[in-house]
Amino acid sequence: MRHTEFWARMESALGPGVAQFWADQQVLSALGGRTAVEALDGGVPPKAVWAAVWEALDLPVSER
């Protein structure tokens, strides 16, 4: 997964106005106590970050 696909999925799940804010602010234990943005900036693959976001948001399996 590329970063562009990650952000497209975020916007699809949360909306364009909320996705970036949520990714900047929501700390996820699955990412070692980091936000999605911190994890991406730290080199965590977007697919792994998306898996943590997917779980945290309790999204449907079809969006995994």
Side-chain angles (χ1 to χ4, degrees), residues 29-44:
S29 60
L31 296 175
R34 295 179 286 181
T35 67
V37 170
E38 290 170 338
L40 290 169
D41 289 347
V44 178

Side-chain angles (χ1 to χ4, degrees), residues 5-58:
E5 183 180 350
F6 170 82
W7 287 110
R9 288 184 182 202
M10 287 291 291
E11 289 183 4
S12 176
L14 296 170
V18 177
Q20 184 68 46
F21 177 79
W22 193 92
D24 283 334
Q25 299 297 316
Q26 185 66 41
V27 174
L28 302 174
S29 60
L31 296 175
R34 295 179 286 181
T35 67
V37 170
E38 290 170 338
L40 290 169
D41 289 347
V44 178
K47 186 173 183 177
V49 177
W50 176 251
V53 169
W54 178 84
E55 184 178 332
L57 293 175
D58 196 26

